[in-house]
Amino acid sequence: MCGIVGYVGRSEAAPILLDGLRRLEYRGYDSAGVAIIAGDQLETRKCAGRIADLGKLIGKDTPVGTYGISHTRWATHGKATDQNAHPHFDASGKLALVHNGVIENYQALKDDMLREGNHVFVSETDTEVLAHLIGKIYDSSGANGSTPPQNSKSRLVAAVRAALQQVIGTYGIALVHRDIPDFLVGARRGSPLVLGVGKDENFLASDVSAIVAYTRDAVYLNDFDVVAVERDKFEISSVAGEGGKYEVSKVEFTDEDIKKGDYPHYMLKEIYEQPGSVRDAMRGRLSHEECTAKLGGLEMTAAELRDVRRIVLTGCGTALHAARIGEYIIEQLAGVPTEVEFASEFRHRNTPMTRDTLVFAISQSGETADTLGALRESRRKGYRALGICNNVASTIARESDGGVYMHAGPEIGVAATKSFTSQVTIMALIGLLLGRMRHLSTSEGSAIIDALEALPAQIEETLKLTDQVRAIAKKYASVNGMLFFGRQFNYPIALEAALKLKEITYLFAEGHPSAELKHGIIALVRPDLPSVFIAPDDAVFSKNMNNIEQVKARKGPVIAITSGACGERLANIADDIITIPSAPEFVTPVLSVIPLQLLAYHLAVELGRDVDKPRNLAKSVTVE
Ligand code: G6P
């Protein structure tokens, strides 16, 4: 969701800014733009649509200059139009600003400036209001144009600080001023911003993947940091004007890791990465000797872990579905009462919690606004709140009391795949750890470890189903929707499969516990609406069979995901049978989700959808 790239150095800025934006394309956007200082001109190109459209615009008449800013916008205030695309300018037209986030009090600030009479706003955005505010403070702080450059730099930083002190809301910003050569200013609150430190060049970006091709040295800015960036130096301070502390870290992945390789889509690449990513989620965390899991990142003593009486798992989208499986796993393995809460609801709800409640905020990006809000609210109320994140430098990772990293590598496809199976694997590690501190015996602990360690090879096996799944996708390519059903550990897989289908095919899809069929959903069943049942060989297989019969009796086509000998029992009833490897109930979801990820993928390809960049969606949702 919304991307920022800024550059100051000795190379031409335009290709670097465009390349950076392309690397952020996966986050979701609907317009794009750049502002480059070319000599004494502030040159801008912006348009609604794709980065390719912006590329064409720039190609016609490329601004020549070695510093500038750029942006991809995901509309919040105002439609996706050329006018609303960033950068936006102040009243003098000399200052250009790009912004991620939401300025909540923009209308009041705008009204004040309109009353003053010197401000004409050409867009419907909150960002333009901030550009005007910074420009106004800057212009009034000195005789414009007559101050020495060094002085202009500190005046601009001071104007940014003063403006941000008036702002209610969230922001990640980058700006340039036509009269201040080789100089960028960035700031953040609530929306990520990273400084890339190069040799004789520096970068600003909302996501490090935009700049990792140029430098792997990064400073992850904290909320309320303001950074003044030049070619060969930078200075970090706070919005309040204090000196900021910072650390230069090495980015843990390389440019190679974020390339598609031979795969047609990132989503397919990431589906195929799951044997490795699940292995990496467990790496070094299983102890055969003690028959348990080791999760040092939780930063909790054995006594503290034993005292946990209740767990709340929270997140959004796919992460929430992993949480729902976590609820089954943790209660089954550890017997600790566990609840799942939509982060967006939990953060605003006055849920009664006890002192010994442990909260886990689950988020691939670690930047999802609602999940971050839930984490902050939990901590405000005094609960220990841990993060389960993939992005190690993310805000959730930094603000939590500890946690578990997924180590899944960058996930670029908007539809989450490998992060989901890593999250479920981590749920199993938590269940094992807490269970072994309570009632699980060494042999039970050992059996759980064996089941977990078998997963990577079983995922490899499951991925071989891709041709069969592709054929099924072709067969059903003309349907208008699908229903998904599962029970127990696989009920959340029905939810996740329906979400995948909606996200990338735009078809109608719903997931339900199988038994709910007869409480209303059965009214939807008809010959052109397939039902997918996740019905592996487990304790509830025969219950699932009853529900499958109910669908077939009403002439609804059935696709069954099953395992073991159950395939034979389904042979005369299901229209299509996909057989996954047999595994204990608590790890089956890691396998059963794979054919369903593939089904959504192949159907989307069949329908000609933009798999990696589905319409209206963003990879990381940093607004509420
Ligand atoms: C967006 C993405 C989903 C993702 C959800 C939570 O909606 O499109 O794929 O599951 O955010 O993201 P997170 O980064 O917090 O796991």
Side-chain angles (χ1 to χ4, degrees):
M1 180 172 270
C2 296
I4 290 177
V5 188
Y7 175 77
V8 52
R10 295 190 186 279
S11 305
E12 283 304 322
I16 294 175
L17 296 177
L18 260 184
D19 177 59
L21 290 185
R22 273 189 210 106
R23 290 164 194 272
L24 295 182
E25 251 193 316
Y26 73 95
R27 295 172 65 100
Y29 68 100
D30 42 43
S31 49
V34 299
I36 290 170
I37 313 289
D40 58 0
Q41 294 300 313
L42 172 52
E43 294 270 356
T44 187
R45 310 278 184 273
K46 57 180 185 172
C47 60
R50 290 296 188 193
I51 292 167
D53 302 319
L54 177 68
K56 278 188 208 140
L57 208 58
I58 292 178
K60 276 190 211 146
D61 177 18
T62 310
V64 178
T66 56
Y67 71 111
I69 52 175
S70 62
H71 191 257
T72 45
R73 170 173 188 256
W74 191 85
T76 55
H77 291 76
K79 292 180 285 296
T81 60
D82 294 354
Q83 283 81 3
N84 288 336
H86 299 205
H88 288 286
F89 306 93
D90 72 339
S92 74
K94 294 179 180 180
L95 180 147
L97 172 81
V98 294
H99 162 230
N100 290 351
V102 177
I103 309 294
E104 288 169 16
N105 59 337
Y106 84 104
Q107 195 59 52
L109 296 168
K110 190 173 182 175
D111 291 345
D112 285 349
M113 287 189 277
L114 283 171
R115 267 191 296 274
E116 286 168 19
N118 311 324
H119 298 269
V120 177
F121 294 94
V122 296
S123 79
E124 303 159 288
T125 65
D126 50 343
T127 304
E128 190 184 13
V129 175
L130 182 59
H132 274 247
L133 185 62
I134 297 172
K136 180 184 101 162
I137 300 172
Y138 175 75
D139 289 345
S140 64
S141 69
N144 204 7
S146 64
T147 40
Q150 198 50 47
N151 195 3
S152 324
K153 287 176 188 165
S154 40
R155 268 179 49 220
L156 185 59
V157 172
V160 169
R161 278 200 201 106
L164 294 180
Q165 282 169 15
Q166 296 181 42
V167 156
I168 300 170
T170 54
Y171 50 81
I173 58 169
L175 58 127
V176 286
H177 195 288
R178 194 198 74 179
D179 295 342
I180 314 179
D182 303 314
F183 193 61
L184 311 178
V185 184
R188 74 159 275 181
R189 180 187 179 235
S191 288
L193 195 68
V194 56
L195 169 74
V197 184
K199 197 169 174 316
D200 250 5
E201 57 183 7
N202 289 312
F203 305 80
L204 284 175
S206 51
D207 180 331
V208 77
S209 54
I211 52 174
V212 74
Y214 305 96
T215 177
R216 289 181 62 205
D217 292 325
V219 179
Y220 296 95
L221 299 177
N222 291 311
D223 273 354
F224 301 108
D225 276 352
V226 177
V227 61
V229 195
E230 300 183 50
R231 276 178 186 165
D232 50 0
K233 62 178 178 190
F234 60 87
E235 195 176 319
I236 296 174
S237 57
S238 73
V239 169
E242 290 142 11
K245 280 195 233 107
Y246 68 86
E247 201 181 310
V248 181
S249 356
K250 256 295 166 243
V251 180
E252 37 157 57
F253 57 89
T254 66
D255 189 35
E256 282 306 302
D257 295 328
I258 50 175
K259 289 202 174 131
K260 260 200 311 241
D262 293 334
Y263 289 94
H265 298 100
Y266 280 108
M267 182 181 177
L268 191 64
K269 176 183 180 232
E270 287 154 9
I271 290 173
Y272 273 83
E273 280 173 348
Q274 291 177 106
S277 52
V278 164
R279 191 179 290 115
D280 288 341
M282 300 187 267
R283 195 184 296 283
R285 292 173 169 165
L286 290 172
S287 162
H288 281 277
E289 213 172 87
E290 295 169 45
C291 310
T292 189
K294 289 188 181 291
L295 297 171
L298 298 180
E299 311 229 3
M300 289 175 73
T301 63
E304 285 170 336
L305 285 167
R306 222 170 275 121
D307 281 346
V308 173
R309 301 260 176 282
R310 182 170 170 243
I311 290 177
V312 172
L313 304 172
T314 188
C316 303
T318 290
L320 188 89
H321 296 155
R324 291 206 186 284
I325 299 172
E327 178 179 15
Y328 284 89
I329 295 180
I330 295 171
E331 291 193 347
Q332 165 121 344
L333 299 188
V336 179
T338 303
E339 282 153 47
V340 177
E341 294 272 355
F342 286 101
S344 54
E345 290 296 310
F346 182 52
R347 63 182 298 196
H348 296 298
R349 195 154 75 90
N350 215 359
T351 324
M353 307 243 291
T354 50
R355 283 296 111 207
D356 37 27
T357 298
L358 185 60
V359 178
F360 282 97
I362 309 176
S363 172
Q364 186 284 130
S365 63
E367 301 292 351
T368 301
D370 282 320
T371 313
L372 179 59
L375 177 92
R376 286 182 176 157
E377 185 61 17
S378 306
R379 297 192 72 219
R380 196 173 294 126
K381 297 216 168 110
Y383 302 108
R384 196 189 283 258
L386 306 177
I388 298 178
C389 298
N390 192 29
N391 182 355
V392 284
S394 61
T395 312
I396 292 177
R398 285 187 292 164
E399 290 195 13
S400 49
D401 295 308
V404 189
Y405 283 124
M406 298 175 201
H407 297 306
E411 188 178 67
I412 311 284
V414 166
T417 51
K418 63 175 177 173
S419 62
F420 175 74
T421 44
S422 298
Q423 287 157 358
V424 176
T425 304
I426 290 168
M427 293 290 110
L429 297 179
I430 293 169
L432 170 62
L433 173 69
L434 296 177
R436 283 285 292 131
M437 291 179 154
R438 290 169 171 79
H439 61 271
L440 283 183
S441 67
T442 49
S443 64
E444 286 168 318
S446 258
I448 292 166
I449 292 181
D450 290 347
L452 285 167
E453 287 187 332
L455 275 177
Q458 290 184 313
I459 298 173
E460 299 267 12
E461 252 338 276
T462 312
L463 287 167
K464 293 183 186 152
L465 295 166
T466 194
D467 289 341
Q468 188 198 354
V469 177
R470 190 188 297 115
I472 294 173
K474 273 189 197 298
K475 176 172 163 187
Y476 292 106
S478 62
V479 299
N480 291 319
M482 282 193 184
L483 300 172
F484 294 87
F485 299 99
R487 284 173 181 260
Q488 300 290 299
F489 293 88
N490 283 296
Y491 149 56
I493 294 299
L495 299 179
E496 175 58 9
L499 178 65
K500 288 287 88 78
L501 199 78
K502 277 182 270 210
E503 283 178 318
I504 60 169
T505 67
Y506 319 147
L507 293 177
F508 158 84
E510 277 193 11
H512 293 281
S514 307
E516 285 296 300
L517 183 68
K518 54 194 176 291
H519 299 296
I521 306 138
I522 202 159
L524 299 175
V525 172
R526 48 174 206 252
D528 61 345
L529 184 70
S531 291
V532 180
F533 277 85
I534 304 120
D537 185 2
D538 61 12
V540 287
F541 175 76
S542 53
K543 309 265 179 218
N544 269 320
M545 270 296 269
N546 294 340
N547 304 123
I548 294 174
E549 299 275 8
Q550 288 156 9
V551 170
K552 284 311 293 181
R554 283 150 190 93
K555 300 198 170 44
V558 167
I559 302 165
I561 314 282
T562 192
S563 64
C566 291
E568 284 157 33
R569 292 179 58 191
L570 285 159
N572 295 324
I573 178 153
D575 298 81
D576 298 278
I577 300 171
I578 298 168
T579 307
I580 59 170
S582 297
E585 286 183 344
F586 75 99
V587 287
T588 303
V590 172
L591 304 173
S592 60
V593 77
I594 288 170
L596 295 164
Q597 294 170 340
L598 288 167
L599 180 65
Y601 173 79
H602 288 305
L603 212 43
V605 171
E606 202 57 39
L607 296 173
R609 308 292 193 235
D610 191 347
V611 173
D612 286 332
K613 297 187 282 291
R615 75 176 176 210
N616 302 342
L617 299 185
K619 181 70 183 159
S620 167
V621 180
T622 48
V623 294
E624 281 181 50

